[in-house]
Amino acid sequence: MHPNSVRLLSAIAVVVGLFMAFSAGALAQSDPLSSWNDGAVKASITGFVARVTEDGGPDFVAPERRIAVFDNDGTLWSEQPIYFQFQFALDRIKAVAPEHPEWKDTEPYKSALAGDVQGLMAAGEKGLVEILEVTHAGMTTDEFSKTVADWLETARHPRFDRPYDQLVYQPQLELLAYLRANGFKTFIVSGGGVEFMRVFAERAYGIPPEQVVGSSGVVKFEMGADGKPVLIKEPKVEFVDDGPGKPVGINRFIGRRPIFAFGNSDGDQQMLEWTAAGDGARFMGIVHHTDAAREWAYDRQSHIGKLDKALDEGMARGWTIVDMKADWKVVYPPAP
Amino acid sequence: MHPNSVRLLSAIAVVVGLFMAFSAGALAQSDPLSSWNDGAVKASITGFVARVTEDGGPDFVAPERRIAVFDNDGTLWSEQPIYFQFQFALDRIKAVAPEHPEWKDTEPYKSALAGDVQGLMAAGEKGLVEILEVTHAGMTTDEFSKTVADWLETARHPRFDRPYDQLVYQPQLELLAYLRANGFKTFIVSGGGVEFMRVFAERAYGIPPEQVVGSSGVVKFEMGADGKPVLIKEPKVEFVDDGPGKPVGINRFIGRRPIFAFGNSDGDQQMLEWTAAGDGARFMGIVHHTDAAREWAYDRQSHIGKLDKALDEGMARGWTIVDMKADWKVVYPPAP
């Protein structure tokens, strides 16, 4: 080779080498889990991901089997002072109340319109179900999605004065992205309504509708008068994706056992057990709400997101318990 | 720049150019739908895909909205002389008959054991449901998957003497791959049992379990005596993913309206209508079984895969009707 060519190639090699060194440095500096404080919890996550993605390693898991499931309420976004979907239902009651003057004197509507949660609780489960049915049925699936989208646009959380879908956990957003970057397919498996969550899951979490598993009501196909078919939401519960329903929902919708599961309450216990019972490397995580200043602190005695038996089992079996106050640098993303 | 450097760069450019020209030639020669004969049907597929993937074009569809759904029986694999899943059930009856000596004298088992399909039909729907329940319930989900996998290993189709999961349509395998290469996410939406199909869908079609929608029975979570949870299949139908159930299943499992749907029978009519009723470019396809020599010829009068109303609607509305005999160069892939 001519000396000038050699010199040119050498120059190229130097430039390429410098570029690679710079990239490696940039990579080392950008921590994909930068909102997680260093410690045992963070290390349990990164250690697990390193093990199952190490080609040829003893714990390697093929990408198509890297199924990760997350509860939603209290695991990916907040659930206090009441489940956000229930707040949506109360707001809908108010919005359509002018069409129902009789509600002013009838429970559970009277309490709902007064924002009287204690009165609602007194109306019992039957009253709560009625609120959900009235606000979640008797319309097409498209119409329902639109009411949810409109609500997310306009409603504000009473404590933080932010849209509800901004009260998602920044560390969990990083974890979802980190898992996907490592070949995982991320799913929501939540007691919340599947059609409610699908409105914002893709935008908020990067999780597409077909990877959202949740509770659902009966839906009926009908041919419209204009020759266009519609799907009508009926006032009848079809499936409750909570507690023992979560492994059932996973089996029904995903058809594969997860290797990674994250929850925050006793309603997630069976999902965590089902994940733990598979062969090979497994990750089971629980968000423990310990941060009254930045979010909320609650567990064994809470009416919402009660964490009692699952906490005992998680501690006994060495699952990863996130101490929100200690493990998370920030809770919510900065306002956009 | 030194003349020698210029010469070196020119040489590199020539080599790169040759390589690119060669690649383009190779690409032009390898037709991704090579088992489809040229004509209006094939052009309707490639034309649709070209339109929805043309960045900036009037019919462009973002990749996350490129949802394609396929019926299974008669659309992706054969369904004659009886649905393959029903043959699986009959074979299971024979396999476990030694544990049930009373079956020899009791319908519908007597006919099932004799392979007497006419006798079975005489036993009516109740008898058929009993056969399905006995063979599809009373075991864990893992145990059921194993019986299906074993059956696929050992059973042979009576006419073609091949494993059932080799009787898939080569042109459709190419279509699935072609759609995926163009950013589509491919789903099965079938009246068949979801847990039956998931055993082979990934291997046979490249469709992972979480993209299979089908009929299902009730499944129950139970903690095993060894402290390991199991999912038990119960003898109770939960969801029938057929006819009007198909758009319901699409809404439940996928949560997005498809832009591309392929079926072959009246059981697919509502799925095709639901797909057609969306905004923007749409593709609706029907496999018409017209090839008694290579596969089967049946439509309006058939007990299996009856195609009557959907054929009328498809012709009236200009959907793509595949004439198997004319449009497909081959039906099945070569034996491996």
Side-chain angles (χ1 to χ4, degrees):
Chain A
M1 196 181 274
H2 191 280
N4 278 322
S5 306
V6 172
R7 244 172 279 153
L8 181 70
L9 286 177
S10 303
I12 291 172
V14 167
V15 170
V16 168
L18 279 172
F19 179 75
M20 287 172 70
F22 177 81
S23 300
L27 213 63
Q29 278 161 32
S30 80
D31 176 358
L33 300 178
S34 62
S35 299
W36 292 74
N37 282 314
D38 290 328
V41 161
K42 183 173 180 174
S44 76
I45 296 171
T46 54
F48 173 80
V49 170
R51 283 201 306 283
V52 298
T53 57
E54 188 204 346
D55 215 340
D59 292 327
F60 179 76
V61 175
E64 67 269 18
R65 297 195 163 269
R66 292 181 202 155
I67 303 291
V69 293
F70 287 79
D71 168 60
N72 186 42
D73 297 308
T75 301
L76 292 180
W77 75 357
S78 290
E79 58 185 350
Q80 299 284 3
I82 58 173
Y83 292 122
F84 294 179
Q85 188 175 357
F86 196 62
Q87 185 61 57
F88 159 77
L90 295 182
D91 290 348
R92 285 301 299 163
I93 291 286
K94 280 180 200 161
V96 299
E99 301 159 36
H100 300 272
E102 74 282 9
W103 283 359
K104 272 183 292 192
D105 308 306
T106 326
E107 291 291 3
Y109 305 100
K110 193 178 160 188
S111 295
L113 289 170
D116 175 6
V117 174
Q118 299 307 320
L120 268 174
M121 293 298 164
E125 192 184 320
K126 192 171 159 292
L128 299 181
V129 168
E130 195 172 328
I131 295 281
L132 287 175
E133 284 180 354
V134 164
T135 53
H136 286 68
M139 65 200 89
T140 70
T141 50
D142 285 346
E143 285 162 357
F144 177 73
S145 296
K146 193 176 177 315
T147 66
V148 177
D150 290 347
W151 178 78
L152 288 170
E153 281 286 319
T154 54
R156 295 293 178 269
H157 187 279
R159 175 172 167 193
F160 293 103
D161 194 31
R162 295 178 67 173
Y164 285 90
D165 56 352
Q166 287 183 15
L167 299 180
V168 297
Y169 303 134
Q170 175 65 24
Q172 298 289 60
L173 298 183
E174 294 170 9
L175 176 54
L176 288 167
Y178 172 67
L179 289 172
R180 290 192 290 259
N182 280 282
F184 283 76
K185 205 162 180 177
T186 54
F187 290 82
I188 291 174
V189 176
S190 166
V194 66
E195 299 191 66
F196 179 80
M197 295 185 285
R198 280 172 172 161
V199 175
F200 60 89
E202 188 155 42
R203 182 182 62 207
Y205 308 127
I207 296 180
E210 62 270 24
Q211 286 161 228
V212 179
V213 181
S215 298
S216 53
V218 170
V219 166
K220 201 174 157 196
F221 178 89
E222 274 182 18
M223 187 54 75
D226 58 354
K228 278 209 170 192
V230 289
L231 293 176
I232 305 284
K233 286 171 68 68
E234 303 208 316
K236 196 178 163 197
V237 172
E238 172 192 76
F239 176 58
V240 178
D241 189 52
D242 196 35
K246 288 205 175 192
V248 170
I250 288 169
N251 179 67
R252 182 186 302 185
F253 285 79
I254 307 177
R256 269 201 256 248
R257 194 192 297 254
I259 64 167
F260 185 109
F262 230 117
N264 78 300
S265 79
D266 286 358
D268 302 311
Q269 189 172 8
Q270 288 83 1
M271 173 172 84
L272 294 162
E273 290 171 344
W274 178 246
T275 302
D279 296 328
R282 309 266 127 194
F283 179 95
M284 283 66 62
I286 292 176
V287 176
H288 189 188
H289 293 262
T290 55
D291 195 334
R294 296 185 301 175
E295 205 240 10
W296 282 272
Y298 57 99
D299 47 29
R300 296 180 193 274
Q301 306 301 326
S302 179
H303 288 295
I304 287 175
K306 178 177 180 174
L307 174 64
D308 183 35
K309 289 182 186 170
L311 186 59
D312 289 338
E313 183 174 1
M315 290 193 294
R317 299 180 65 179
W319 296 347
T320 294
I321 317 280
V322 174
D323 177 339
M324 185 184 276
K325 191 172 179 180
D327 290 313
W328 286 0
K329 278 198 189 109
V330 297
V331 174
Y332 302 124
Chain B
M1 196 181 272
H2 191 281
N4 278 323
S5 307
V6 171
R7 244 172 281 152
L8 180 69
L9 288 176
S10 303
I12 291 172
V14 168
V15 169
V16 168
L18 278 173
F19 178 77
M20 288 173 69
F22 177 80
S23 301
L27 213 64
Q29 277 162 33
S30 79
D31 175 358
L33 299 178
S34 61
S35 299
W36 292 75
N37 282 315
D38 290 328
V41 161
K42 184 173 180 173
S44 76
I45 296 171
T46 54
F48 173 80
V49 170
R51 283 201 307 282
V52 298
T53 56
E54 188 203 346
D55 215 339
D59 291 328
F60 179 76
V61 176
E64 67 270 16
R65 298 195 162 268
R66 292 181 202 156
I67 303 290
V69 293
F70 287 78
D71 168 61
N72 186 43
D73 297 308
T75 299
L76 292 180
W77 76 353
S78 290
E79 58 185 351
Q80 300 281 4
I82 58 173
Y83 292 122
F84 294 179
Q85 188 175 357
F86 197 63
Q87 185 62 56
F88 159 77
L90 295 181
D91 289 348
R92 285 300 301 161
I93 291 286
K94 280 181 198 161
V96 298
E99 302 158 34
H100 299 272
E102 74 280 10
W103 283 359
K104 271 183 294 196
D105 308 306
T106 327
E107 289 295 1
Y109 305 100
K110 193 177 158 186
S111 294
L113 290 170
D116 175 7
V117 175
Q118 299 307 321
L120 268 173
M121 294 299 165
E125 193 183 321
K126 191 170 161 289
L128 298 181
V129 168
E130 194 171 329
I131 294 281
L132 286 176
E133 284 181 352
V134 164
T135 53
H136 285 69
M139 66 199 89
T140 70
T141 49
D142 286 347
E143 285 162 358
F144 178 73
S145 296
K146 193 176 175 316
T147 65
V148 176
D150 290 348
W151 178 78
L152 288 170
E153 281 287 319
T154 54
R156 295 293 178 271
H157 188 279
R159 174 173 167 192
F160 293 103
D161 194 29
R162 294 177 67 171
Y164 286 90
D165 57 353
Q166 287 183 16
L167 299 181
V168 296
Y169 303 134
Q170 174 64 25
Q172 297 290 62
L173 298 182
E174 293 169 9
L175 176 54
L176 288 167
Y178 172 67
L179 290 171
R180 290 191 290 260
N182 281 283
F184 283 77
K185 205 162 180 177
T186 53
F187 290 81
I188 290 174
V189 177
S190 166
V194 66
E195 299 192 64
F196 178 81
M197 294 185 285
R198 280 171 171 161
V199 175
F200 60 89
E202 189 155 42
R203 181 182 64 208
Y205 307 128
I207 296 180
E210 63 270 23
Q211 286 162 227
V212 179
V213 180
S215 298
S216 54
V218 170
V219 166
K220 201 175 157 195
F221 177 87
E222 275 182 19
M223 186 54 73
D226 59 353
K228 279 209 168 190
V230 289
L231 293 176
I232 304 285
K233 286 172 67 68
E234 303 209 314
K236 195 178 164 198
V237 172
E238 173 192 73
F239 176 59
V240 177
D241 189 51
D242 196 35
K246 289 204 175 193
V248 171
I250 287 169
N251 180 66
R252 181 185 301 184
F253 284 80
I254 307 177
R256 270 202 255 247
R257 195 192 296 254
I259 64 167
F260 185 110
F262 230 117
N264 77 299
S265 78
D266 286 357
D268 302 311
Q269 189 171 8
Q270 288 83 2
M271 172 172 85
L272 293 161
E273 289 171 344
W274 178 245
T275 302
D279 295 328
R282 309 266 127 192
F283 179 94
M284 283 65 62
I286 292 175
V287 176
H288 190 187
H289 293 263
T290 54
D291 194 334
R294 295 186 302 175
E295 205 241 10
W296 281 271
Y298 58 97
D299 48 31
R300 297 181 192 275
Q301 306 301 325
S302 180
H303 289 293
I304 287 175
K306 178 177 178 172
L307 175 65
D308 183 35
K309 289 182 187 170
L311 186 59
D312 289 339
E313 184 174 2
M315 291 192 295
R317 299 180 63 179
W319 296 347
T320 293
I321 317 281
V322 175
D323 178 338
M324 184 183 279
K325 191 173 178 179
D327 290 313
W328 287 359
K329 279 198 187 112
V330 296
V331 175
Y332 302 124

